[in-house]
Amino acid sequence: MALFTYSKLSHLLRLAVHKAPVLRAGADMKPGAVSWLQLKRSQVRFLLTQERQKQQMARGLPKQKPIAGVKQVIVVASGKGGVGKSTTAVNLALALMANDQSKSAGLLDVDVYGPSVPRLMNLKGNPELSDDNRMVPLTNYGVPCMSMGFLVEDASPIVWRGLMVMSAVERLLRQVDWGSLDYLVVDMPPGTGDVQLSVTQNIPIAGAVIVSTPQDIALLDAHRGAEMFKKVNVPVLGLVQNMSVFQCPNCQHQTHIFGSDGARQLADTLGISFLGDIPLHLNIREMSDKGQPVVVSCPDSAEVSTLLYSALLNLVRIPVPFSNLDFLAQKQDLKLLKVNKAIMS
């Protein structure tokens, strides 16, 4: 039955419907035979409905198309807002370039309702248009950036319905002239909604980084985010634990304000890599607000060298040796990623 095509199922259902009155009209028709016939008709209808749904889904899903000029796409996501996802994405893009100066990295902010990249990267203004009518990213610290924040006023709320948001995301994905990039880091909005599905279904993605605090309420949403990427066949490269510890600048006492090791335990549960800890540090917050990410403004500071930078380098050391499409063809073999990481270390 599983090998039946849609047309065969339709034919079988029609036969069952047409023959039913003849069987029921027979003088020797037994209740058991009637029940058997009804059961078979129900099974056929169920299989027919499943086949129709599969065909509709196959027609409805967009075909993935790589972004022109971009070799690898890494998305940075979080289930919960306010966990430091955008700060991590910005520093990740800069760390990718700092780790290997022969590599180029770009930054795409698809958080339409709350874009943070313009402030974090100290960028203002509207993008210019190239000769082929595509937007030219704004650049700072050697990283080309594109964000919805460049297209609207700073204080202007974006009060859009889903279709308008999808149109904006499509424009950010397809109408930007990135030139040639080794990595494009995508700052995703929080949650597991339309934007996440649109991005993951439209472009091939090498992997996702999930950011969370150690707090239980944040970890619940981080878990949901990881499961979402699993369903859309995007490998999760690892989990970053942000705001992991606060160290008093006077007495040096450490306090785990949001709990300890929650993200590490979640990574173990999910069977994914734990990339490291990022502290709750005043310098990270101040430099971020000034548009001077700590990876470039304070690369030798303790909070960067011992925690933030090392955590991001753990991700950098996970090689992505295939093209995006080849990577998807490998069905996201996370074991291969772990083996490659062990070899590189």
Side-chain angles (χ1 to χ4, degrees):
M1 185 66 72
L3 299 177
F4 277 9
T5 62
Y6 178 76
S7 59
K8 288 182 179 178
L9 285 172
S10 300
H11 179 66
L12 182 58
L13 181 59
R14 285 195 297 270
L15 287 177
V17 172
H18 293 324
K19 290 183 178 180
V22 177
L23 293 174
R24 284 196 297 268
D28 298 330
M29 191 65 180
K30 297 181 180 180
V34 175
S35 300
W36 179 86
L37 177 61
Q38 291 174 343
L39 176 62
K40 288 300 180 183
R41 289 172 63 186
S42 298
Q43 290 176 342
V44 170
R45 286 195 182 97
F46 176 74
L47 292 172
L48 185 61
T49 301
Q50 277 192 326
E51 185 69 21
R52 187 184 296 115
Q53 289 176 344
K54 288 180 181 179
Q55 291 188 1
Q56 290 174 347
M57 286 293 293
R59 290 195 299 267
L61 290 177
K63 292 184 178 179
Q64 288 187 333
K65 181 181 178 182
I67 299 175
V70 176
K71 294 180 181 178
Q72 305 291 345
V73 176
I74 299 174
V75 298
V76 180
S78 68
K80 181 72 68 179
V83 298
K85 166 186 55 63
S86 296
T87 301
T88 303
V90 166
N91 283 286
L92 171 58
L94 293 165
L96 285 166
M97 294 180 61
N99 180 65
D100 186 347
Q101 296 184 1
S102 67
K103 302 294 185 181
S104 57
L107 190 58
L108 174 60
D109 182 2
V110 294
D111 192 346
V112 175
Y113 292 117
S116 301
V117 166
R119 170 62 67 88
L120 290 169
M121 292 294 286
N122 194 27
L123 288 169
K124 291 184 179 181
N126 301 116
E128 297 180 355
L129 294 179
S130 64
D131 293 337
D132 57 355
N133 207 35
R134 291 191 296 168
M135 294 182 290
V136 178
L138 278 64
T139 301
N140 197 10
Y141 308 115
V143 177
C145 305
M146 181 52 63
S147 170
M148 195 67 202
F150 299 146
L151 307 177
V152 297
E153 297 295 329
D154 288 345
S156 297
I158 300 176
V159 187
W160 288 351
R161 294 188 183 274
L163 290 177
M164 295 181 67
V165 174
M166 293 303 99
S167 177
V169 171
E170 178 69 18
R171 185 179 180 190
L172 291 172
L173 290 176
R174 300 299 178 195
Q175 299 183 22
V176 178
D177 185 2
W178 292 105
S180 179
L181 291 177
D182 293 293
Y183 301 102
L184 179 64
V185 178
V186 180
D187 181 15
M188 301 278 272
T192 56
D194 289 341
V195 174
Q196 287 82 353
L197 286 176
S198 180
V199 172
T200 55
Q201 290 176 353
N202 277 281
I203 61 174
I205 297 173
V209 176
I210 297 179
V211 181
S212 178
T213 64
Q215 189 176 6
D216 289 345
I217 196 68
L219 293 169
L220 287 173
D221 290 332
H223 196 162
R224 294 188 185 100
E227 292 297 329
M228 181 208 71
F229 285 118
K230 180 180 178 181
K231 287 185 177 180
V232 295
N233 295 322
V234 173
V236 178
L237 298 178
L239 204 63
V240 173
Q241 184 167 254
N242 196 22
M243 308 182 198
S244 59
V245 63
F246 172 74
Q247 181 171 296
C248 176
N250 297 320
C251 66
Q252 311 305 315
H253 176 71
Q254 292 188 345
T255 303
H256 296 275
I257 296 175
F258 297 106
S260 62
D261 292 332
R264 187 187 299 273
Q265 294 169 6
L266 177 59
D268 292 339
T269 300
L270 296 174
I272 60 178
S273 298
F274 177 72
L275 299 177
D277 296 280
I278 301 176
L280 180 62
H281 199 283
L282 180 62
N283 191 40
I284 297 176
R285 196 275 301 168
E286 289 181 338
M287 292 297 101
S288 297
D289 287 346
K290 291 179 180 179
Q292 301 173 10
V294 290
V295 166
V296 293
S297 62
C298 311
D300 298 324
S301 61
E303 64 273 14
V304 173
S305 60
T306 61
L307 292 171
L308 175 60
Y309 201 45
S310 62
L312 295 179
L313 281 180
N314 281 333
L315 172 63
V316 175
R317 291 168 65 185
I318 299 178
V320 188
F322 312 110
S323 70
N324 286 335
L325 294 177
D326 290 337
F327 193 87
L328 289 173
Q330 295 292 329
K331 297 182 179 180
Q332 290 75 42
D333 191 347
L334 296 182
K335 292 183 179 179
L336 178 61
L337 282 175
K338 292 180 179 179
V339 170
N340 284 341
K341 182 182 177 184
I343 294 174
M344 292 294 290
S345 60

